[in-house]
Amino acid sequence: MSNIIKILAVASGVTAGVLGATPALAAGTAAGATITNTATLNYQVGGVAQTAINASNNITVDRKITLTVAEVGSATTSVAPGSSAQVTSFTVTNSSNDTIDLGLTAAQLSGGTAAHGGTDNFDLTGLGMFVDTNGNGSYDAGTDQAVTYLDEIAADASRTVFIVGNVPLTSANGDVAGVTLVAQARSGSGAGSQGAVITETSGANTAAMDTVFADAAGPASGDGARDGKASDDDDYTVSAPALTVTKQSRVVSDPVNGSTNPKLIPGAVVEYCIVVQNAAGSASANSVTISDPLPAQTSFVTASSFLNGTYTGSTPTGTCNLDGTAGGSVAAGTLSGTLGTIAAGTTRTLYFQVTIN
Amino acid sequence: MRIFLTLLAILAPSMAFAANNVTLSSLVFVEKAVPDGAGRKHIVLEEPKSVMPGDRLVFILNYRNAGRLPASDFVVTNPLPAAVVYQGGAESAQVSIDGGRNWGTLPALRVLEPDGRWRSARAEDVTHLRWVLKQAIPAGAFGKLSFRGVVR
């Protein structure tokens, strides 16, 4: 801090370029600046010019602490279960008329409504705060530095701050984790260290520069209006596949009855259909691998397995359509096959036949 | 913010000038909007205890001829502080936008824009105010000049 700039009006000879310029700054005249107004009176008495008279007064500009924290963008951060270093971004701005430090606190909601409407029901792990060191607006691990405060932020300057955390593998589709970032005005006590919390001047005006808080209330708990703090919230929403697996079987034929009312006698052919459904509104599932140990009393019918078929009706009473592509293999008594990407709201099957020994 | 009145001659008439006893004082007030409790706000002038960027200021210059002879060719010149933007309120004054070299009314003064065009001066261009009183100030007479500004 101690950024006291004296603005002294000069009685004459001030260039128009300086005085005529209207700064575009929101913060305005620096805290502690002295505004001196001087008027000069010239006059004559009896036709004789008299000594000019000056009159002046000084006022000192107070320190107005205004700061804001604003989420970058207005959408939730979509994350997958088990993913690491997931980012929410905030812009922290010092609109005060003084250089200050900004203490930072990242917190997680504990229940309640998150920033984008969902209900908070899980926490991230390893939560950290990073400043956008290289100023490119996106989090770069190893480049952007971990911070607990922003040092020596000039009037009207801002920084991008990232909250970074890991998503537990146990989280499910639609789970929401709300986070908040709080910035608190602290004295710009010198570069390299965090200054003391700035307090508002209480009671009557003092001869020195006074401090007045002019910040608005924020969504974080404990961030009221005019408390030298600012905050905003954001959230993470888990986007995961919601898979259900159903297995159904049907006797196709037997050696005695053929395909008419076949019975489960030795030599009968049985078809199996493994149905994988991905619920609507969830994330696509990639590389879904199915492993099915074949019963010891059965033998796999060579080249009878088909992948990625469709399914008509609802499990377990629907029909497994024979429209897949040949695929899958048997090794050590286990049939395995890999289905393609299963988008939300779609169903894919693995179909195969065995004979009863 | 304490006001330092270096020449508050009206309140201290003993500080008279040896020759002619003409005095001038400069005062500044802050315009504050004070809620009246009925949902409306009144504008009041306060001592400049709390001054922030954007606050509206009212400058008042009091003069008095405490001598025994009339004072003529009475000219009061007030350069604007660098941190204050003129906001009008001194329609009887001449203004300058070039540090006091040329004087006139706002519409009469021209400003060269960066794009090479000229435009009429605006209040924020003003650097100096000057009141030229045509009539002599009789002995014992007093008066008040004022203008408005806003803290940058």
Side-chain angles (χ1 to χ4, degrees):
Chain A
M1 191 187 43
S2 69
N3 184 16
I4 297 177
I5 300 168
K6 299 235 170 177
I7 297 178
L8 295 173
V10 183
S12 65
V14 185
T15 64
V18 171
L19 285 178
T22 303
L25 300 179
T29 304
T34 301
I35 299 177
T36 303
N37 185 56
T38 303
T40 303
L41 166 59
N42 295 287
Y43 65 104
Q44 295 183 2
V45 172
V48 179
Q50 305 292 305
T51 305
I53 298 173
N54 288 327
S56 65
N57 59 33
N58 293 340
I59 52 178
T60 303
V61 176
D62 288 330
R63 181 164 64 170
K64 181 181 183 180
I65 298 295
T66 314
L67 59 165
T68 55
V69 176
E71 174 196 349
V72 176
S74 56
T76 190
T77 298
S78 186
V79 295
S83 56
S84 60
Q86 297 298 308
V87 179
T88 46
S89 307
F90 299 86
T91 302
V92 181
T93 305
N94 173 26
S95 303
S96 313
N97 57 346
D98 195 9
T99 297
I100 60 175
D101 290 352
L102 290 159
L104 300 175
T105 310
Q108 309 211 45
L109 291 190
S110 178
T113 303
H116 300 293
T119 300
D120 175 87
N121 61 355
F122 80 101
D123 281 349
L124 283 83
T125 58
L127 207 65
M129 296 178 292
F130 295 83
V131 67
D132 187 16
T133 304
N134 59 3
N136 68 350
S138 60
Y139 172 66
D140 301 297
T143 299
D144 293 338
Q145 293 166 328
V147 288
T148 56
Y149 69 99
L150 300 174
D151 199 20
E152 301 292 303
I153 304 301
D156 278 315
S158 63
R159 296 284 184 277
T160 301
V161 174
F162 306 110
I163 293 181
V164 179
N166 306 322
V167 182
L169 195 55
T170 52
S171 59
N173 187 51
D175 281 1
V176 173
V179 292
T180 58
L181 181 68
V182 179
Q184 182 169 30
R186 286 173 168 266
S187 168
S189 55
S193 66
Q194 182 173 218
V197 170
I198 292 173
T199 54
E200 200 171 34
T201 303
S202 58
N205 170 63
T206 66
M209 175 185 75
D210 297 327
T211 298
V212 177
F213 289 154
D215 56 279
S221 70
D223 176 22
R226 299 193 58 189
D227 61 355
K229 294 179 185 173
S231 65
D232 202 2
D233 53 3
D234 199 350
D235 55 27
Y236 297 85
T237 303
V238 175
S239 178
L243 300 179
T244 53
V245 181
T246 315
K247 188 175 182 182
Q248 63 187 63
S249 61
R250 183 174 70 91
V251 183
V252 178
S253 64
D254 72 39
V256 179
N257 297 311
S259 58
T260 306
N261 296 323
K263 303 295 186 292
L264 269 174
I265 57 176
V269 176
V270 179
E271 68 170 27
Y272 283 98
C273 186
I274 299 172
V275 185
V276 183
Q277 296 171 290
N278 192 5
S282 53
S284 293
N286 304 319
S287 304
V288 177
T289 303
I290 298 172
S291 296
D292 188 34
L294 299 172
Q297 302 83 359
T298 64
S299 300
F300 181 69
V301 177
T302 304
S304 70
S305 62
F306 295 86
L307 293 167
N308 294 318
T310 59
Y311 189 85
T312 304
S314 55
T315 55
T317 57
T319 305
C320 202
N321 301 314
L322 263 174
D323 55 1
T325 55
S329 59
V330 177
T334 297
L335 170 69
S336 54
T338 302
L339 299 177
T341 298
I342 305 178
T346 63
T347 302
R348 289 182 184 271
T349 62
L350 167 59
Y351 173 94
F352 65 96
Q353 289 182 346
V354 296
T355 54
I356 300 192
N357 296 338
Chain B
M1 294 330 95
R2 188 168 293 167
I3 316 177
F4 300 97
L5 296 173
T6 55
L7 277 173
L8 187 47
I10 284 182
L11 299 180
S14 60
M15 282 177 63
F17 277 75
N20 295 297
N21 292 333
V22 172
T23 59
L24 176 70
S25 70
S26 170
L27 297 171
V28 62
F29 297 94
V30 183
E31 273 190 359
K32 296 275 175 170
V34 177
D36 64 356
R40 281 180 296 195
K41 289 184 173 175
H42 288 295
I43 304 296
V44 297
L45 292 183
E46 290 184 349
E47 295 277 307
K49 287 179 175 177
S50 172
V51 179
M52 300 286 184
D55 278 354
R56 303 179 65 84
L57 304 175
V58 176
F59 293 90
I60 295 175
L61 305 171
N62 287 305
Y63 60 86
R64 174 185 288 266
N65 181 2
R68 291 187 298 275
L69 294 169
S72 62
D73 300 302
F74 201 91
V75 178
V76 176
T77 309
N78 195 139
L80 276 172
V84 174
V85 182
Y86 178 56
Q87 293 279 294
E91 275 62 39
S92 63
Q94 301 172 353
V95 299
S96 171
I97 59 171
D98 56 6
R101 281 186 288 278
N102 297 294
W103 297 90
T105 60
L106 275 181
L109 296 172
R110 313 290 283 173
V111 173
L112 183 60
E113 293 271 42
D115 64 4
R117 283 186 234 174
W118 291 87
R119 64 163 170 84
S120 292
R122 293 191 285 258
E124 63 262 30
D125 299 319
V126 171
T127 66
H128 285 61
L129 296 168
R130 183 172 77 176
W131 290 266
V132 178
L133 277 62
K134 293 189 174 67
Q135 309 230 323
I137 311 298
F142 55 89
K144 186 172 77 170
L145 308 168
S146 68
F147 63 97
R148 292 170 182 278
V150 65
V151 181
R152 290 184 196 270

